[in-house]
Amino acid sequence: MSIIKVEDIAFVRFHAPDLDEMRTFLEEFGLSCVEQDGKLYGRGTDGSPYLHVTELGEAAFAGLGFRAQSRDELEALGAHDGVPVETAEAPGGGYRIGLRDPDGNAIDVVAEQSWAPSPALSPDAPINSASERRRFREPVRLTPGPSRVYRLGHAVLNVSNFALSEAWYKERFGLITSDQIEIQAATPLGAFLRCDRGDIPTDHHTLFLMQSPSGAGFNHAAFEVSGLDDLMRGHSFLKSRNRAHSWGVGRHVLGSQIFDYWKDPWGHEVEHWTDGDLCTAADPPGVGGLAELLGSQWGPRHPAAAGSG
């Protein structure tokens, strides 16, 4: 029995030596930015106060946040870990609690934030496929520019001890396994974890933990965009800005997302994705190996696996 069940991931945090440079990158990536109290906040279009936080300092990953339903849940976490609940000073207000995971990552949990009204999403343009013709006398004309980031979908952390980290996150936040990664049978080295929202469909993974031979650290954060055309529009735009491309475009095996990975000016990897799997608590966990993790259903394999096989 977990202490609470978080609703979703809320944000990722970084340090960077130049907020103006980070702002330019984030806006080209598809976020809108505001500065408050010396920190840069990147927003999507889902109405949440922020998805990405940067403060001045030597370039580094600084932590991530999850969203809980209420202050009462934060109080339960605080009682378990011996830390106080605080009033949040960031945009959106509400309350926060600060924890440290087994690798020392700063993990915030926030609750009762104020959200802005989210603009209505434009309906998907009809598509003409071989089996169904739905678009008549309406040419497709896309305006060049950044992707439109909607929300933060998940983060991936490399961990020093997978079993210890998995138990820590599951005990506190109620995360459940969608797929675990095994190299040897019954010896998991990683897992895609999702929120337990009962019968409410939720993303295939909100957090992915993977024991890495290079040690603990940030792997990437993934932001949902409005669709395939929007993802490809953003791909072209970032390429025109000479941004560092990392992997894609392709479709993952585990989670099924269409993906496109880029690096910020200090090498932190961020992903655009669309069309991922949705699961409920009733869906049983699966098992995959490195081939499923590093491969793709179409598109390039991960650069770490591109030279093998």
Side-chain angles (χ1 to χ4, degrees):
M1 183 77 178
S2 63
I3 300 166
I4 68 168
K5 293 182 179 181
V6 295
E7 292 184 322
D8 207 349
I9 191 170
F11 55 84
V12 286
R13 297 175 54 234
F14 297 89
H15 293 152
D18 189 327
L19 295 188
D20 289 337
E21 188 172 354
M22 180 64 92
R23 181 177 192 137
T24 299
F25 171 78
L26 292 177
E27 290 177 346
E28 291 177 357
F29 187 74
L31 295 163
S32 61
C33 295
V34 296
E35 288 191 43
Q36 179 176 308
D37 300 327
K39 297 178 182 179
L40 179 69
Y41 294 90
R43 296 170 171 166
T45 61
D46 66 341
S48 63
Y50 54 92
L51 309 176
H52 187 290
V53 189
T54 312
E55 54 189 302
L56 280 173
E58 184 177 349
F61 170 64
L64 57 86
F66 294 96
R67 188 173 68 250
Q69 291 184 353
S70 67
R71 178 175 179 168
D72 288 344
E73 292 196 327
L74 300 189
E75 295 287 358
L77 277 175
H80 181 271
D81 280 55
V83 294
V85 175
E86 302 173 342
T87 300
E89 302 297 332
Y95 302 96
R96 66 170 291 275
I97 190 169
L99 306 174
R100 293 279 177 178
D101 75 4
D103 285 312
N105 295 306
I107 308 299
D108 284 3
V109 186
V110 296
E112 300 186 18
Q113 294 173 301
S114 296
W115 284 42
S118 179
L121 294 174
S122 300
D124 290 339
I127 294 174
N128 288 334
S129 67
S131 62
E132 188 175 10
R133 312 295 190 182
R134 298 190 297 136
R135 180 167 51 82
F136 301 99
R137 306 174 73 183
E138 295 181 9
V140 175
R141 298 292 184 266
L142 302 177
T143 302
S147 293
R148 296 186 181 96
V149 168
Y150 177 61
R151 56 184 281 267
L152 175 63
H154 64 264
V156 177
L157 298 178
N158 298 330
V159 298
S160 57
N161 183 319
F162 167 68
L164 182 63
S165 292
E166 180 190 39
W168 190 89
Y169 281 94
K170 285 186 171 182
E171 178 187 10
R172 284 158 181 78
F173 308 141
L175 301 178
I176 55 180
T177 300
S178 292
D179 287 290
Q180 67 183 28
I181 303 300
E182 299 179 358
I183 298 177
Q184 297 179 344
T187 308
L189 293 178
F192 292 90
L193 306 175
R194 69 181 185 271
C195 298
D196 180 356
R197 303 193 65 187
D199 294 334
I200 299 174
T202 188
D203 293 328
H204 171 269
H205 55 286
T206 303
L207 180 69
F208 176 53
L209 303 174
M210 185 69 185
Q211 189 160 324
S212 170
S214 61
F218 175 76
N219 185 288
H220 75 267
F223 298 82
E224 185 177 12
V225 298
S226 61
L228 177 58
D229 271 334
D230 191 48
L231 182 144
M232 294 305 301
R233 182 177 71 154
H235 178 95
S236 296
F237 184 77
L238 287 166
K239 187 175 180 180
S240 76
R241 293 300 189 268
N242 296 314
R243 294 299 182 182
H245 189 240
S246 181
W247 182 26
V249 173
R251 185 183 282 277
H252 283 307
V253 178
L254 302 176
S256 304
Q257 300 97 325
I258 298 174
F259 64 85
D260 192 27
Y261 290 76
W262 297 82
K263 291 185 178 181
D264 76 11
W266 298 275
H268 297 115
E269 201 163 70
V270 287
E271 174 190 3
H272 283 149
W273 66 271
T274 188
D275 191 26
D277 292 339
L278 295 173
C279 309
T280 70
D283 292 311
V287 176
L290 290 182
E292 291 81 9
L293 178 64
L294 301 178
S296 57
Q297 299 188 63
W298 54 259
R301 292 192 295 173
H302 191 278
S308 63

